[in-house]
Amino acid sequence: MASSSPLADSSATEFPPSPRDPAGAVVVRFAPSPTGRLHLGNARIAVLNALYARAHGGSLILRMDDTDEARGTEAFAQAIREDLTWLGLTWVREESQKARAARHAEALETLRAAGRLYPCYETPEELEGKRRRQLARGKPPVYDRAALALSEADRARLEAEGRRPHWRFLLEARDVTWVDLVRGPSHAHAAHLSDPVLVREDGGLLYTLPSVVDDLDFGVTHVIRGEDHVVNTAVQIQIAQALGGRPPAWAHLPLVLGPDGGPLSKRDGALSIGDLRDEGIEAAAIVALMAALGSGTAPDPTLDWDAHARAFRLEAFGRAQPRLDPADLARLSTRVVHALDGSQVRARGYAVSEAHWAVLHANLTRLDELPAWLAVIDGTIEPVRAPEDEDFLARAAACLPAAPWDETTWKAWTGAVKAATGRGGRALFRPLRLALTGLDHGPEMAALLPLMGRERVLARLAGEKA
Ligand code: GLU
């Protein structure tokens, strides 16, 4: 990689194709930190990156931002891969930042050699003190670069005291501009920014530099990420330029709010993707909501990835923070279930015939309710009967028509039961449904009855587990 790496080239012309170069293929990346499960907020960023790649015939790289050894774990990385796969995302390859430490160290040397990296010795408390004093004087809390004035002797003395330096990138005092694909023309003057810390006191790298190095090396053309990172953009552009690279195009999406306009939280039922899956939410519902949220279009959960990609326009996403109501997710999910066909359901591991699916599907809110209904049709259930209905059920059994049965059988049978018992309406239908299905709601009995068959119905009317 190193020899073909853009960072190793001295000329900028060999850099990854510019996003503005129509011949250049789109390369995007989703860069989760494997320090937790994927939740709706970051899954949205993943989905939008994947759609952008698909819409432009480009490719998506999954990059594990796993430099934070203490918190990042392989178990989380694996869970993220599984959740993304479940959502239907594909990526051309996976990269790990941890595995690229040598490249990052090289880049650090490039910055050092260019005079853009300097050691600082302030403790967090000292920095906090400076910050408070600046704010008290009505000044922006920008790092004052005091460390730049340290002499060799000062540094030697501080190190003799046991202090270890952290390292900052020296920003050039100029306005940095970019055309954000979501936020429009954007800029930040470096004078209003603190020189970012790239290397911690313990020698570990913070996220800022590895992200730039990897985006350049992997030829990333578009960085599509959450607005919480827009504060890093000017800094990352300057770092890319200091490394001799051409920065990618940027798109910063506003963060999603909960239904009440506050931050999206667990309290709103906005759980991790794994939790939503366990709750029976369909992946297609999540993808549809993520593709639409904030774009001014209505989510269509019956579309597949290609159809979503054809309809996808990053420019349609605005700066307003969209609200996400998890109840919408449940509703979309039910629409997905209703639209599944029998073969799709069988591919998901449910042994269901076309005839059974035709009768049951419209009544399901989640696919995992299906086995219970299959048991009602041709498995075993516990009939529910009130003591006062026992006689009624015995008389109903005596009225059962002879086989073969079809969709007209229920009407003929209940007509006969009504005539024999004098019961009508709810008093007639409810005990029959409870005895035959164990539940007081469900698909049309007229459709269920012929599928259950006469023997099973007789047994259930007699109160047998059948
Ligand atoms: N690992 C960072 C995050 O999860 C990636 C930020 C970026 O896309 O540059 O927030």
Side-chain angles (χ1 to χ4, degrees), residues 223-454:
V223 169
I224 302 169
R225 60 184 178 182
E227 202 173 59
D228 48 333
H229 284 289
V230 76
V231 292
N232 297 322
T233 307
V235 160
Q236 291 185 320
I237 288 173
Q238 282 214 12
I239 294 174
Q241 290 166 339
L243 292 170
R246 180 192 274 175
W250 310 88
H252 292 92
L253 290 146
L255 302 188
V256 175
L257 299 174
D260 57 359
L264 187 61
S265 75
K266 241 184 152 121
R267 195 170 32 92
D268 303 317
L271 308 166
S272 70
I273 299 301
D275 287 338
L276 291 168
R277 180 174 52 220
D278 292 347
E279 284 184 5
I281 296 291
E282 292 287 317
I286 298 176
V287 171
L289 189 59
M290 298 300 137
L293 201 65
S295 75
T297 59
D300 184 346
T302 62
L303 299 184
D304 64 13
W305 272 89
D306 281 328
H308 279 304
R310 277 194 297 278
F312 183 77
R313 283 174 54 251
L314 190 56
E315 310 77 63
F317 289 79
R319 291 189 65 158
Q321 287 189 271
R323 292 187 187 196
L324 186 153
D325 187 347
D328 290 340
L329 209 47
R331 277 191 287 273
L332 290 169
S333 186
T334 295
R335 280 179 61 194
V336 174
V337 172
H338 291 176
L340 292 172
D341 64 36
S343 60
Q344 289 171 311
V345 177
R346 286 188 289 280
R348 301 256 302 256
Y350 295 94
V352 62
S353 68
E354 283 305 318
H356 289 183
W357 181 246
V359 169
L360 297 178
H361 77 277
N363 226 265
L364 304 176
T365 54
R366 305 162 40 149
L367 193 56
D368 59 9
E369 294 162 354
L370 182 58
W373 282 109
L374 292 173
V376 167
I377 290 178
D378 57 12
T380 305
I381 61 149
E382 196 75 63
V384 174
R385 15 190 291 146
E388 65 272 22
D389 287 330
E390 280 182 21
D391 179 52
F392 165 75
L393 293 171
R395 293 169 70 189
C399 298
L400 262 187
W405 286 357
D406 60 24
E407 306 75 59
T408 65
T409 306
W410 171 255
K411 191 152 188 251
W413 178 40
T414 52
V417 176
K418 183 176 179 178
T421 64
R423 286 203 193 190
R426 190 177 148 87
L428 169 70
F429 294 115
R430 190 177 134 90
L432 294 178
R433 181 180 277 280
L434 281 172
L436 297 185
T437 70
L439 294 166
D440 63 0
H441 63 276
E444 289 291 325
M445 287 303 297
L448 285 178
L449 195 72
L451 297 176
M452 290 177 181
R454 199 167 189 277

Side-chain angles (χ1 to χ4, degrees), residues 29 31-33 65 207 211 225 229:
R29 72 343 184 245
S33 307
D65 280 3
Y207 141 87
S211 188
R225 60 184 178 182
H229 284 289

Side-chain angles (χ1 to χ4, degrees), residues 21 75 78 80 85 91 102 117 135 149 222 293 299 342 365 415 426:
D21 170 1
Q78 186 51 27
I80 289 170
T85 303
W91 48 96
L117 197 66
L135 288 173
H222 296 70
L293 201 65
T365 54
R426 190 177 148 87

